Amino acid sequence: MHIRDLPHPDPGVPDVRTGGAFLRWLCGQQLGGQLKALAWGLVNVGGIAASPLPVGLAVQAVVDRDAGRLIMAGGLVLALGALIALGGMMLHRAAVTNWITAVARMQQLLARKTTELGSAMTRRVAAGEIVAVSTGDLEKIGWFVEALSRFAASAVAAAGVSVALVLYRPELGVLVAVGVPVMALAVLPLLPRATRRADAQREKAGQATELASDTVAGLRVLRGIGGEELFLGRYRSASQDVREAAVRSARMWSLISAVQVLLPGLLLIAVVWYGTRLALDGTLAVGDLVTVYGAVTFLLFPLRHFEEIAQAYSFARPSAKRTARVLAQSRPADDRAPGRTPTGDLHDPVSGLTAPAGRLTAVVCGDPDSAGRLAERLGGHPPQHEDDGGDGPGPMSTVLGGTPLDDLPRDTARAAVLVQDKDPMLLSGTLGELLDVPASGRVDATAALAAAQCGDVLTALAQASADDSGDPMRTHITERGRSLSGGQRQRLALARSLVTDPEVLVLDEPTSAVDAHTEARIADGLRELRTGRTTVVLTSSPLLLDRAERVVLLQEGKAVAEATHRELLHTHPAYRAIVTRATDPEPAMSAGHRTEETA
């Protein structure tokens, strides 16, 4: 496969039983590329291996004063030089292509798995591990894939040179044929210890990455409680552990490298000493001694590849194990054909919440985590104990129109219920691309943007238009919407959800980052645009609650009261305390009256 053909039309179904099985599957998927790299490697390494022969012929020609043989030796040197250059260039291209295509295949597999699992991915696998797999681990596996063909070519060439020396000069060839395997296998006893130290280094590096990821994610909270120095100290300690583990690993690999230099040097000394004695005795010509010396020197070249492949495999094996563990995560198989999207009331049997069809229902939760779990359940995501592989009772599925979402094909369930969490993601691209999502067609982008009160956002994007067209729909939005404020990102995400126009729309704190006047207009626009559609808003904002047709209060994960916003303010003290942020009943009641007046 060529790099220009990427991405792969189908990355395939990986063997994720073990890390070794995954590596074998990955190499098998690009067998053609490996064979191509091996062929060019044999051309390159074979040319290098054959170079001592014309050199020996040239030396002997000088000794014998034979000009014809000297010219022939020179021609062979030029031919082998051209062959080595061609083979080296093509080997590099083929090996790097194998590396890139292997990494691209794994990236596609990870992207497919992330799409399949959605938010369940980070609940099943630690965020730090996912970061480690998608960055460093893929690089290490790619290194092994790239080095494999070069190692195979070197091994074949080393075996060929050893056999040729035995046939050419048996008295020296036998010594070389015995010494080369000893040198190649001498480092094997050291590899398990080196691998363990490398594994310990990677484990500590993964822990440090996870700690850094958690610290960055909670930086705002840490600053609020003054905990930056505490977590900075923890990260310093973790980074020092990584450094110490890296030094220990480097010491072992340095020892392996020293052995790979020492033993070939001893073999070379033995061959030169014995060959010199044979030359002095007249049983070995000077040119033959030079040829044998050059051949033995060449054997030092494959041995470096033996060390490289051992190191690459020791790094790739645990990386492949982690990658296979991530790719092994799965949802229950779903081979049902897409069916008709059900309509009707949305009911969550865990909390007892029922959202009537075609109405705007607001849900007030005293616990933000409880609200997040409710949003996940309403979207058809499995509860936590199911994600963790627990042995508890099976989950109670959310029911839409009398049909459990678990009984629907995944695509149908996703089309029926759309959940926008409290921190929605904006992908990089133009505004037009952001709003180009699967939709019913009932709501166009203009109406959605108007309902989400994105007028000022459109003006800002029009002024920032790169092509001077003034069309905000063609303005590029940076990754995660970094160029926008929190309120602007939130409103664009709401507009995207409104364009989709699902049967049921679940919004978790959709206006937490906007001011009160904008929030009131968004509430009116949302109610008007979603007329006849089921909408569930998880919020504690009085402005949104007052526009809702029905409000449900959840305490400890259970629905305990339901009525209109104003009725609950008068009749339920706990509701007043949450909505007005007050704990004293009397001030809360007064604040409730003021809320009614301003609403």
Side-chain angles (χ1 to χ4, degrees):
M1 183 175 189
H2 297 91
I3 295 177
R4 63 174 175 269
D5 297 326
L6 294 176
H8 299 278
D10 180 11
V13 180
D15 185 345
V16 294
R17 293 173 297 172
T18 63
F22 177 71
L23 281 178
R24 289 192 295 272
W25 174 85
L26 187 63
C27 293
Q29 289 298 301
Q30 48 188 112
L31 184 59
Q34 291 289 351
L35 292 176
K36 181 179 179 181
L38 174 60
W40 285 115
L42 290 175
V43 172
N44 175 254
V45 181
I48 297 174
S51 296
L53 181 59
V55 173
L57 289 175
V59 171
Q60 192 61 42
V62 172
V63 172
D64 296 340
R65 298 180 181 278
D66 189 336
R69 276 196 297 164
L70 182 61
I71 294 173
M72 182 183 69
L76 285 175
V77 170
L78 291 176
L80 288 175
L83 207 60
I84 292 169
L86 175 64
M89 178 182 66
M90 298 305 296
L91 169 62
H92 180 73
R93 290 187 58 180
V96 171
T97 298
N98 287 337
W99 183 333
I100 294 175
T101 53
V103 171
R105 186 182 300 276
M106 290 185 288
Q107 287 174 334
Q108 288 182 244
L109 290 171
L110 288 171
R112 185 173 69 185
K113 183 59 62 176
T114 302
T115 302
E116 175 188 342
L117 294 180
S119 61
M121 172 71 87
T122 53
R123 295 198 301 272
R124 298 185 181 193
V125 183
E129 183 169 0
I130 296 175
V131 172
V133 167
S134 59
T135 54
D137 284 338
L138 297 194
E139 188 77 8
K140 293 179 178 68
I141 296 172
W143 175 29
F144 172 75
V145 171
E146 184 264 346
L148 190 59
S149 55
R150 289 188 284 110
F151 161 72
S154 297
V156 172
V161 168
S162 299
V163 172
L165 284 176
V166 171
L167 298 177
Y168 183 62
R169 284 296 176 183
E171 57 269 51
L172 292 176
V174 172
L175 176 62
V176 174
V178 173
V180 168
V182 172
M183 291 186 296
L185 301 177
V187 297
L188 289 183
L190 301 176
L191 287 179
R193 182 176 296 180
T195 301
R196 287 194 297 271
R197 292 190 179 185
D199 289 347
Q201 175 194 349
R202 282 186 293 273
E203 181 180 357
K204 291 183 181 297
Q207 292 171 354
T209 301
E210 186 171 351
L211 178 60
S213 176
D214 291 343
T215 302
V216 171
L219 188 59
R220 180 178 298 178
V221 177
L222 290 176
R223 286 175 175 170
I225 63 176
E228 306 102 303
E229 289 300 324
L230 173 63
F231 272 78
L232 184 59
R234 291 181 181 177
Y235 184 75
R236 285 196 185 105
S237 176
S239 64
Q240 288 302 311
D241 291 341
V242 174
R243 182 189 62 80
E244 293 173 2
V247 170
R248 284 174 50 83
S249 178
R251 286 173 180 166
M252 185 54 62
W253 286 111
S254 298
L255 177 59
I256 291 174
S257 298
V259 171
Q260 290 285 356
V261 172
L262 176 63
L263 293 183
L266 294 176
L267 176 63
L268 187 60
I269 292 173
V271 169
V272 171
W273 176 80
Y274 187 46
T276 303
R277 289 182 60 87
L278 293 176
L280 291 175
D281 293 341
T283 58
L284 185 68
V286 175
D288 293 340
L289 176 60
V290 171
T291 300
V292 172
Y293 173 81
V296 175
T297 304
F298 159 77
L299 291 175
L300 306 183
F301 175 73
L303 289 175
R304 288 199 296 269
H305 288 301
F306 293 172
E307 177 191 350
E308 180 191 17
I309 197 65
Q311 188 173 6
Y313 179 73
S314 71
F315 278 87
R317 184 182 58 81
S319 294
K321 182 178 179 181
R322 278 194 296 268
T323 304
R325 184 166 60 245
V326 172
L327 294 177
Q329 304 298 323
S330 63
R331 289 186 181 275
D334 188 356
D335 54 2
R336 294 164 292 183
R340 183 182 62 84
T341 301
T343 59
D345 296 347
L346 182 70
H347 176 68
D348 173 37
V350 176
S351 64
L353 167 70
T354 298
R359 299 177 66 183
L360 174 59
T361 301
V363 181
V364 176
C365 300
D367 179 12
D369 292 335
S370 177
R373 290 192 294 270
L374 172 62
E376 291 179 357
R377 289 198 305 272
L378 293 179
H381 297 289
Q384 181 71 29
H385 74 263
E386 181 184 88
D387 290 339
D388 293 340
D391 298 326
M396 292 183 287
S397 172
T398 298
V399 178
L400 176 60
T403 304
L405 292 182
D406 283 351
D407 291 345
L408 295 173
R410 184 180 304 133
D411 292 342
T412 303
R414 287 179 173 176
V417 182
L418 173 65
V419 177
Q420 176 182 305
D421 61 27
K422 62 182 63 179
D423 187 21
M425 173 72 71
L426 295 184
L427 301 177
S428 62
T430 65
L431 178 58
E433 292 170 340
L434 175 69
L435 300 178
D436 184 15
V437 293
S440 68
R442 191 177 74 97
V443 179
D444 59 24
T446 302
L449 290 167
Q453 299 300 309
C454 295
D456 63 316
V457 184
L458 295 178
T459 301
L461 292 176
Q463 294 173 350
S465 178
D467 57 4
D468 297 326
S469 64
D471 184 0
M473 303 301 289
R474 299 173 62 180
T475 302
H476 185 81
I477 298 175
T478 57
E479 179 189 4
R480 301 179 68 92
R482 293 192 308 268
S483 57
L484 304 172
S485 68
Q488 290 174 330
R489 288 195 300 270
Q490 200 169 57
R491 283 178 282 160
L492 286 180
L494 176 59
R496 179 179 58 188
S497 299
L498 294 175
V499 167
T500 303
D501 189 41
E503 181 66 28
V504 178
L505 177 60
V506 180
L507 303 171
D508 188 2
E509 293 290 354
T511 58
S512 58
V514 301
D515 60 81
H517 295 289
T518 304
E519 187 177 34
R521 294 194 296 270
I522 290 176
D524 292 333
L526 177 65
R527 179 167 180 171
E528 179 181 353
L529 197 64
R530 291 289 297 173
T531 299
R533 295 288 204 184
T534 306
T535 307
V536 180
V537 182
L538 282 67
T539 183
S540 59
S541 166
L543 292 170
L544 283 175
L545 295 171
D546 192 53
R547 269 69 170 182
E549 300 170 75
R550 187 167 171 273
V551 179
V552 180
L553 172 65
L554 263 63
Q555 287 186 308
E556 297 182 355
K558 301 295 182 182
V560 297
E562 52 185 78
T564 65
H565 167 59
R566 300 182 183 228
E567 289 172 345
L568 287 174
L569 276 177
H570 286 290
T571 61
H572 210 291
Y575 180 82
R576 286 198 304 273
I578 295 172
V579 173
T580 62
R581 279 74 168 176
T583 55
D584 185 18
E586 291 304 321
M589 178 66 75
S590 300
H593 286 301
R594 287 197 300 272
T595 300
E596 293 179 35
E597 293 172 4
T598 57

